[in-house]
Amino acid sequence: MSYLPSNPPECLDANVPDIELVIEPRKRDLGNFIVGRVLPSPRRRMVGPFLFCDEMGPAELTPGTPLDVRPHPHINLATVTYLFDGEIVHRDSLGSEQAITPGAINWMSAGRGIVHSERAHPKSAQRMHGLQLWCGLPSESEETAPTFDHYPAATLPSIDRNGATIRVLAGEAYGLRSPVKTLSRLFYVDIQAREATSLEVPDYPERAAYAVSGELVADGTMYPRGAMLVFSKGKPVTMQLAAGTRMVMLGGEPLDGPRHMFWNFVSSRAERIEQAKQAWKTQSTEAFPKVPGDDQEFIPLPD
């Protein structure tokens, strides 16, 4: 999914030793729902290989005002779509057409270039709430052929621990491994606390937690919904969750170097971004093929 650039989120220094940074989301009103962006931020561009995190909603979409993201391009990254509520139909230039529903994962690796759209049913009222992540690709995999994979909710492993349900959406954590195919050592988990509880944060070089609902507590400090906590490296961390809290945690090994980003384009090479900008501006179908079944419109390259 793609949105035009917005002002970056605010970063705050944390006053607890386990937390390196607290990122407050920058809200953007898209008319029929609110998007909250926490990555990238001015002082934290990535957490592990993850370099983009948007929360979509929660919002009540009425008939005639659906989620409607026109065809747009990506290069050198993977998009990761996960819904808590609602349904979105994904179409892409590979010919994929796949509805995503709550609990499932859509993982699209753009490689050398892909175009996709994401749309909700225009005549159905529904509650929409989810997360959109981008995962950078290792430099040796940036120009591979694009791929799209859908993983139904039932294929993703889960475990109950300390009064919480933990679902491993990608990577490995809490003794579980997701079937989602990735190119980096990473983790992405969804945690719902049925009662007040505490959980250790998985041991990875870079880690963060995002409060989807409820409250998170670390070292006695409470953090509200919408905040992303970036944890200090090399320290064991235990999180406290109030009853009814939902959070995701993510992170992993950092990428093999910095990444350039413009709009929907990410690359280890600045010149590759410029090539992609020109190709989309001229609507080069060699670089960016059309989306079958959704080829009558597109999002223009922003100024």
Side-chain angles (χ1 to χ4, degrees):
M1 186 170 295
S2 169
Y3 309 100
L4 293 181
S6 60
N7 293 329
E10 181 181 2
C11 293
L12 306 174
D13 288 313
N15 295 317
V16 294
D18 291 343
I19 298 174
E20 174 186 322
L21 204 63
V22 179
I23 305 175
E24 300 288 347
R26 171 68 71 180
K27 302 291 187 179
R28 184 158 189 258
D29 189 348
L30 298 186
N32 50 0
F33 64 97
I34 301 293
V35 171
R37 179 163 301 168
V38 289
L39 289 177
S41 70
R43 291 172 55 196
R44 191 73 189 211
R45 307 296 295 174
M46 296 183 281
V47 177
F50 295 102
L51 41 72
F52 181 94
C53 178
D54 264 8
E55 182 179 7
M56 307 170 286
E60 301 294 336
L61 302 185
T62 59
T65 59
L67 173 73
D68 193 26
V69 182
R70 294 168 290 162
H72 58 278
H74 292 286
I75 62 166
N76 296 183
L77 60 86
T79 64
V80 189
T81 307
Y82 184 67
L83 297 182
F84 306 114
D85 292 294
E87 179 175 335
I88 297 172
V89 176
H90 163 99
R91 294 182 179 87
D92 62 43
S93 51
L94 299 175
S96 312
E97 182 174 343
Q98 176 66 57
I100 183 170
T101 53
I105 285 281
N106 275 4
W107 189 286
M108 184 185 76
S109 182
R112 60 178 173 258
I114 198 168
V115 181
H116 77 130
S117 64
E118 289 181 325
R119 302 182 188 262
H121 197 290
K123 297 182 180 179
S124 299
Q126 60 174 307
R127 179 177 171 84
M128 185 64 65
H129 188 200
L131 292 175
Q132 175 79 183
L133 306 181
W134 293 357
C135 183
L137 301 181
S139 57
E140 70 271 15
S141 302
E142 287 183 322
E143 297 298 327
T144 55
T147 60
F148 172 79
D149 293 289
H150 173 76
Y151 299 88
T155 67
L156 302 177
S158 65
I159 189 173
D160 283 345
R161 179 177 294 186
N162 299 342
T165 300
I166 303 170
R167 302 186 72 233
V168 179
L169 309 181
E172 186 173 3
Y174 300 102
L176 302 176
R177 180 183 291 274
S178 167
V180 173
K181 293 180 289 187
T182 68
L183 296 173
S184 303
R185 180 173 175 261
L186 57 82
F187 77 104
Y188 181 27
V189 297
D190 176 13
I191 298 173
Q192 297 183 73
R194 299 184 302 278
E195 56 192 66
T197 188
S198 62
L199 288 169
E200 71 279 10
V201 177
D203 182 16
Y204 280 82
E206 297 185 357
R207 307 158 296 169
Y210 182 77
V212 177
S213 61
E215 299 168 348
L216 307 180
V217 177
D219 282 351
T221 300
M222 183 181 69
Y223 300 92
R225 165 187 148 65
M228 174 173 277
L229 313 184
V230 180
F231 299 111
S232 301
K233 294 182 180 180
K235 295 183 179 181
V237 180
T238 298
M239 296 289 298
Q240 289 78 47
L241 286 73
T245 294
R246 188 170 196 171
M247 72 170 177
V248 298
M249 288 194 287
L250 57 88
E253 297 278 357
L255 290 172
D256 53 353
R259 292 298 186 267
H260 303 275
M261 180 183 294
F262 173 83
W263 191 42
N264 302 313
F265 304 137
V266 169
S267 182
S268 61
R269 297 167 293 142
E271 65 272 16
R272 184 66 179 90
I273 300 285
E274 294 304 314
Q275 292 170 1
K277 288 165 63 176
Q278 184 62 25
W280 186 248
K281 187 174 182 179
T282 61
Q283 286 294 285
S284 167
T285 55
E286 180 178 359
F288 295 117
K290 296 291 186 179
V291 176
D294 197 353
D295 59 358
Q296 298 304 301
E297 54 183 354
F298 62 91
I299 300 177
L301 185 76
D303 297 331

